[in-house]
Amino acid sequence: METNLSKYLRARRPIIWVHSGDYKEVDTIVTEATKEYKNKAIFEYRAFGAVNFETKVKSDEIVDLYSFFNILFSEGVKTNVFLIIKNAEEEMKDARNIALIKKIAETRYSNSDYNFTVIVVTEIETVPKDLEKFTSILDIPNMTKEEIEKYIWNFAKENKVNVDKKDVGEVAISLKGLTKLEIDHVLNMIIESKNNISISGRDIIIREKGQIIKKSSILEIIDFKEKIEEIGGLEGLKEWLSSKAQVFRRLDEAKKFGVDTPKGVLLVGMPGCGKSLAAKASARLFNVPLLRLDIGRLLGKYVGESEHNMRVALKTAESISPCILWIDEIEKAFAGIDQNGGASDITKRLFGQFLTWLQEKENTVFVVATANDITAFPPEFLRKGRFDEVFFIDFPNEEERERIFEIHLEKRGKMSDDINLKELAEETEGYCGADIEEIVKNAVENKFILETENEEEKKITTNNLLEATKSIDSLSNILSDKIDILKKSYKKFKIKSASQKIKNGKRIAGKPTFKDMVIVNGGKYTPSFFNEEREVYDLEVCKYQTTQDMWMEVMKNNPSGFKGGRRPVENVSWWDTLEFCNKLSEKYGLKPVYDLSQKNKGMLKINQLNGKTEYPGIADFKKTEGFRLPTEVEWEWFARGGEVAMQDGTFNYTHSGSNNITEVAWYSGTSNKCTHDVGTKKQNQLGLYDCCGNVWEWCYDTTNSDYISNKMPYIYDETDNTRRVRGGSWITSQRNYSIFKQSRADALKNYNFYGFRIVRTI
Ligand code: ATP
């Protein structure tokens, strides 16, 4: 295959500058391109010494570049000399060396019998000014997706490992931008930790790509932990991002289906309201690296420097893609361009360059641009087509403030039922998310320094928080003049609010029925008790096992053996839990799921939304509205951390949210022989508590066919009066523990180690 190197050599270019760190690949290209030269000598120099190009054995005599040049200089008249200089950044800064290379180049131009080519291979250095006019830049094209796929198959064959065939396209896309050497390295790491090559190794790829970026100065790789659930409010934006994430996470499949690759989103709005938070959370949601472009660092002192920097930044992002390119405070680069075109030449050119790239880009760099001040933006920048969507982020409304308080209290383990979120939200009109976080931080700190051993006194109360509010002036107060101007400009452009939900017909996610319910995205997986993939639809799942408070409010009695309002209710039979679900549904105006009219005959039917009632075996839970028990397939999905855990690579933890049982479960080793308040052990990846302990959870046995698996001890039938329980309890010993453990119990009986958790179809 002919490379550009062959063309440059034929054109007698004296200096070739190769931007690469993949020396093996460069050697292959050089060998190939010089094949046609019969009379030739290839020399190699690596930092502080000459080496034999073929054998890589170091020469004892030549230890510096300058003397090497001197020795070789006259060789150029006798033969075709190719000198490859690798990893010699220091020496390439030496003026004597530069002068000699220049002399070689000039001699080559002036004397057609002189044939000396210098090939410089470096990852970091740019061409010295004095050599520019003699130099051609050689880019080594990265492998295409198809080439990488082939490479993966070969690699797997050589190393005798398996490749998950259905994932190979996605893995190849994730590996794009890496050199062969880097791909080898990453694949080795994947098989070391996973034993086969599949998409579950994507976190390793992301980490490795981060290392590459660390070497570039304009882009910065951002470590992020933020989850989309940690954003209070902004439901419309969250929903939109989730739908784009579906495409991004399955790019290969989406492309084949004909879906356009998402380009990006512009977030404009008030300071401190979650723009940066959204950028970070989207990287996690998309499961790709997050690169931040610092506009300040982009702007250079010299003519053309800013454009060069922009070009390098965009190219680096492309080579790392799929990724998110976060451009913070984008107005800094483009401010000063007004509708009359009045702007400095630099900003105008930068602006044009960026817009063209954005408009024409076909790559998988998803841009998240954030801006406070859009007064200086030319209108075309905000037009659709450039970005997929533009969102306006306002100060949080009352409901959103409630959620933000709750999120930050929960993050610090300080949320309790005594805290009146509504009152706090009412008292903090005009406060931004960052202000609220500050309030919570201060209140927690004040408690910490309080000198008391009394646990009760150390608890955060509504009053503590209200007190902390007084010492923090809201941002809208501090910046009131500026904010008025900003608000007017947002209005003028009629930008979509990030808080409003967009009904896209597919789902009306967003706010769960009540605050302890968590939205859990559906997905496909192979349950541990089954040998085929099963699909789970989007659900609302209660963070906690049903507490005695919840039970009493609905049922007006408390059967539990270990009393305590925040403890899980137990001593409830499977049939009791169905009754609870129905009554709770009625309370929320939702159609009850269970038809219990023939309960005394042991017969159950399911109320479907189309008005029919069906036998459990053929009922479709997607067509139900009210609260219900999870099916066993659903239970295992959320207990193992669902989609989030799949992305994190933690889906196979032995306990819900951890491999360490003590961290997450009240079991015989930690429980002291009783149940405990819910939510007092670590939550799992979805924010759910106690899925592996406290009390076993009654589940709904799905259909007969689900149980025809050799792993199953039972075949379900109408006469079998037992039902599945999952999780584990305060009495279970570690020997019997794992998230995959199945157990059965008589549906009519109750014990003080059986409870349940409610879910609802969205
Ligand atoms: P700026 O324009 O000043 O950069 P921003 O809009 O990017 O501000 P962030 O940096 O995202 O604001 O917010 C600062 C911090 O405030 C966040 O790290 C987060 O802890 C908190 N915060 C802001 N908004 C929210 C929110 N909607 N939900 C939860 N926390 C929030």
Side-chain angles (χ1 to χ4, degrees):
M1 190 187 70
E2 175 160 289
T3 58
N4 278 343
L5 182 60
S6 314
K7 288 182 202 149
Y8 293 152
L9 294 182
R10 234 178 287 130
R12 294 179 51 78
R13 296 294 290 160
I15 307 168
I16 321 268
W17 204 268
V18 191
H19 280 293
S20 174
D22 192 343
Y23 298 153
K24 209 167 113 194
E25 180 73 3
V26 174
D27 282 356
T28 314
I29 293 175
V30 171
T31 309
E32 188 65 25
T34 53
K35 228 167 38 196
E36 57 195 79
Y37 296 82
K38 295 223 165 54
N39 183 15
K40 70 175 169 226
I42 306 177
F43 298 98
E44 177 169 341
Y45 183 88
R46 287 200 180 186
F48 311 110
V51 296
N52 182 306
F53 177 69
E54 299 293 335
T55 60
K56 304 297 174 207
V57 174
K58 200 161 187 267
S59 140
D60 291 334
E61 290 126 54
I62 300 150
V63 290
D64 75 291
L65 188 58
Y66 188 71
S67 42
F68 201 21
F69 273 133
N70 271 319
I71 294 167
L72 294 181
F73 183 76
S74 47
E75 291 288 308
V77 275
K78 296 178 224 148
T79 179
N80 284 297
V81 174
F82 301 95
L83 172 60
I84 307 170
I85 303 171
K86 292 173 181 167
N87 193 22
E89 281 77 18
E90 282 311 312
E91 286 127 302
M92 290 304 292
K93 280 184 197 144
D94 187 332
R96 290 184 317 158
N97 289 332
I98 302 287
L100 250 180
I101 300 180
K102 194 170 167 193
K103 195 169 123 192
I104 292 169
E106 281 169 347
T107 315
R108 175 147 200 184
Y109 275 163
S110 62
N111 178 356
S112 61
D113 291 331
Y114 187 72
N115 291 307
F116 194 139
T117 314
V118 179
I119 301 172
V120 183
V121 189
T122 169
E123 269 183 287
I124 12 184
E125 279 308 304
T126 45
V127 183
K129 266 249 148 340
D130 278 357
L131 302 181
E132 261 175 16
K133 64 175 183 192
F134 306 105
T135 305
S136 293
I137 307 272
L138 179 71
D139 278 319
I140 298 184
N142 287 323
M143 281 193 279
T144 61
K145 185 198 139 218
E146 286 70 29
E147 285 165 343
I148 300 177
E149 273 190 35
K150 256 196 223 143
Y151 195 79
I152 294 174
W153 286 116
N154 275 337
F155 180 94
K157 211 164 131 195
E158 274 170 26
N159 291 281
K160 299 195 175 56
V161 286
N162 287 330
V163 180
D164 199 334
K165 189 158 181 251
K166 72 176 184 341
D167 284 357
V168 72
E170 303 292 349
V171 176
I173 287 180
S174 297
L175 285 168
K176 267 176 81 171
L178 298 183
T179 62
K180 277 185 187 152
L181 199 71
E182 288 159 342
I183 292 181
D184 275 353
H185 177 60
V186 175
L187 290 177
N188 273 319
M189 290 200 329
I190 292 179
I191 52 178
E192 228 167 73
S193 76
K194 316 263 176 195
N195 281 326
N196 76 338
I197 297 172
S198 77
I199 201 62
S200 64
R202 201 185 257 173
D203 47 338
I204 296 173
I205 303 174
I206 292 178
R207 224 174 26 236
E208 201 49 33
K209 286 191 164 179
Q211 295 297 326
I212 301 172
I213 285 293
K214 284 214 174 87
K215 296 177 197 152
S216 132
S217 57
I218 304 161
L219 289 178
E220 181 189 0
I221 185 109
I222 305 283
D223 281 330
F224 52 87
K225 295 186 287 297
E226 287 78 359
K227 296 186 206 151
I228 203 89
E229 298 84 25
E230 285 169 26
I231 306 178
L234 310 186
E235 297 302 335
L237 172 63
K238 287 194 288 196
E239 189 186 24
W240 186 86
L241 285 171
S242 302
S243 68
K244 296 293 165 206
Q246 303 266 357
V247 179
F248 236 76
R249 286 220 234 102
R250 290 184 291 156
L251 275 173
D252 190 33
E253 223 180 295
K255 243 200 169 101
K256 283 180 192 150
F257 194 77
V259 180
D260 281 351
T261 311
K263 283 174 194 273
V265 64
L266 172 62
L267 309 176
V268 298
M270 299 301 177
C273 289
K275 296 188 295 296
S276 313
L277 184 60
K280 291 181 203 159
S282 39
R284 172 139 182 176
L285 193 66
F286 283 41
N287 200 19
V288 292
L290 175 65
L291 314 181
R292 191 169 71 157
L293 175 63
D294 185 330
I295 297 288
R297 272 196 244 171
L298 198 70
L299 299 173
K301 288 197 284 289
Y302 306 109
V303 178
E305 198 180 347
S306 308
E307 290 98 312
H308 170 77
N309 288 345
M310 173 77 105
R311 207 165 32 243
V312 171
L314 297 179
K315 209 164 172 332
T316 313
E318 277 177 33
S319 69
I320 291 299
S321 64
C323 64
I324 290 188
L325 178 65
W326 169 26
I327 312 182
D328 200 12
E329 298 186 88
I330 198 169
E331 68 263 43
K332 264 199 201 159
F334 309 134
I337 301 185
D338 59 31
Q339 275 130 309
N340 309 319
S344 78
D345 283 347
I346 291 188
T347 40
K348 246 195 213 163
R349 281 202 302 266
L350 268 185
F351 181 74
Q353 194 186 346
F354 179 70
L355 279 193
T356 315
W357 177 81
L358 195 60
Q359 183 104 2
E360 292 173 358
K361 84 184 189 61
E362 299 235 332
N363 52 54
T364 47
V365 178
F366 184 83
V367 178
V368 178
T370 54
N372 288 325
D373 190 351
I374 55 164
T375 41
F377 275 6
E380 70 260 29
F381 191 64
L382 299 166
R383 232 189 359 242
K384 256 189 134 170
R386 310 268 190 212
F387 290 98
D388 300 310
E389 197 58 86
V390 182
F391 282 103
F392 163 50
I393 301 188
D394 202 351
F395 283 108
N397 61 30
E398 201 177 306
E399 203 178 312
E400 291 177 319
R401 292 196 297 278
E402 274 191 41
R403 274 297 297 146
I404 299 174
F405 265 111
E406 194 184 10
I407 286 167
H408 288 289
L409 283 163
E410 265 180 354
K411 243 187 179 169
R412 293 163 181 82
K414 297 285 181 280
M415 184 58 204
S416 73
D417 273 1
D418 308 332
I419 292 175
N420 187 340
L421 294 172
K422 197 160 175 5
E423 189 180 349
L424 289 168
E426 279 166 8
E427 292 298 319
T428 44
E429 165 96 56
Y431 283 73
C432 68
D435 291 334
I436 295 177
E437 184 180 20
E438 198 61 26
I439 293 170
V440 174
K441 264 198 219 160
N442 286 356
V444 173
E445 195 180 298
N446 291 342
K447 274 285 161 176
F448 174 74
I449 53 178
L450 199 70
E451 290 192 355
T452 171
E453 289 300 311
N454 185 330
E455 282 302 311
E456 264 316 292
E457 282 175 37
K458 287 256 179 195
K459 251 183 150 179
I460 298 268
T461 64
T462 313
N463 275 341
N464 298 146
L465 290 158
L466 289 173
E467 200 58 37
T469 307
K470 286 192 200 132
S471 61
I472 288 165
D473 202 0
S474 75
L475 199 70
S476 50
N477 242 346
I478 300 169
L479 298 175
S480 60
D481 293 347
K482 182 145 192 261
I483 281 169
D484 277 347
I485 299 173
L486 292 179
K487 277 209 161 157
K488 271 189 201 130
S489 69
Y490 301 150
K491 246 198 200 122
K492 194 173 96 193
F493 287 115
K494 295 199 184 74
I495 306 171
K496 179 178 276 167
S497 158
S499 299
Q500 272 157 26
K501 270 185 275 172
I502 321 150
K503 285 203 174 159
N504 60 12
K506 183 182 160 277
R507 52 190 247 158
I508 20 147
K511 231 178 110 57
T513 323
F514 60 91
K515 85 173 179 14
D516 288 344
M517 301 295 278
V518 174
I519 305 272
V520 172
N521 286 345
K524 283 188 189 160
Y525 81 112
T526 308
S528 62
F529 52 89
F530 203 56
N531 50 13
E532 241 176 52
E533 253 189 2
R534 277 279 176 273
E535 183 160 14
V536 176
Y537 299 103
D538 295 351
L539 284 178
E540 265 181 52
V541 180
C542 191
K543 266 195 253 185
Y544 310 117
Q545 295 174 335
T546 307
T547 62
Q548 295 173 31
D549 279 344
M550 284 165 78
W551 181 274
M552 283 192 287
E553 200 182 322
V554 176
M555 306 296 278
K556 314 288 176 213
N557 62 21
N558 186 2
S560 313
F562 302 103
K563 294 280 190 297
R566 293 285 291 166
R567 282 178 159 170
V569 66
E570 12 83 14
N571 272 336
V572 288
S573 74
W574 186 78
W575 286 100
D576 294 340
T577 66
L578 308 190
E579 208 173 311
F580 169 88
C581 288
N582 274 4
K583 287 203 171 152
L584 188 68
S585 302
E586 276 164 19
K587 190 173 152 192
Y588 279 91
L590 302 167
K591 190 178 171 72
V593 174
Y594 304 111
D595 175 355
L596 297 170
S597 57
Q598 300 184 66
K599 181 183 158 196
N600 53 355
K601 289 190 213 150
M603 225 157 72
L604 174 70
K605 281 188 153 187
I606 306 295
N607 294 321
Q608 306 272 265
L609 274 178
N610 56 12
K612 288 191 184 151
T613 58
E614 299 282 13
Y615 282 107
I618 48 169
D620 181 358
F621 281 104
K622 227 167 60 174
K623 295 194 190 124
T624 64
E625 190 180 59
F627 296 99
R628 58 182 175 84
L629 293 182
T631 65
E632 202 183 359
V633 175
E634 288 169 340
W635 187 92
E636 195 174 301
W637 172 250
F638 65 68
R640 290 171 70 177
E643 188 187 37
V644 176
M646 281 211 157
Q647 290 161 34
D648 283 358
T650 59
F651 196 64
N652 289 328
Y653 273 169
T654 42
H655 306 290
S656 181
S658 176
N659 278 326
N660 174 4
I661 183 172
T662 317
E663 220 177 24
V664 288
W666 293 114
Y667 76 109
S668 65
T670 50
S671 73
N672 218 357
K673 299 203 175 68
C674 63
T675 61
H676 287 259
D677 280 3
V678 297
T680 45
K681 283 282 178 188
K682 196 181 136 203
Q683 59 189 12
N684 82 350
Q685 301 89 325
L686 294 168
L688 309 175
Y689 294 91
D690 296 314
C691 293
C692 258
N694 228 358
V695 285
W696 289 93
E697 297 179 13
W698 284 114
C699 285
Y700 184 84
D701 292 16
T702 329
T703 62
N704 285 355
S705 61
D706 266 5
Y707 290 87
I708 306 169
S709 141
N710 50 15
K711 279 194 198 158
M712 295 294 305
Y714 290 90
I715 304 282
Y716 172 83
D717 68 55
E718 284 286 316
T719 55
D720 180 0
N721 207 20
T722 62
R723 296 290 182 273
R724 190 72 66 192
V725 284
R726 292 292 298 257
S729 83
W730 58 271
I731 208 173
T732 316
S733 71
Q734 180 150 20
R735 197 163 33 86
N736 288 326
Y737 246 103
S738 125
I739 197 169
F740 311 114
K741 166 97 182 154
Q742 290 183 298
S743 190
R744 274 188 170 272
D746 188 326
L748 286 167
K749 296 246 169 75
N750 50 39
Y751 300 93
N752 62 1
F753 40 86
Y754 289 157
F756 68 110
R757 177 188 307 265
I758 51 168
V759 303
R760 197 176 86 79
T761 308
I762 300 176

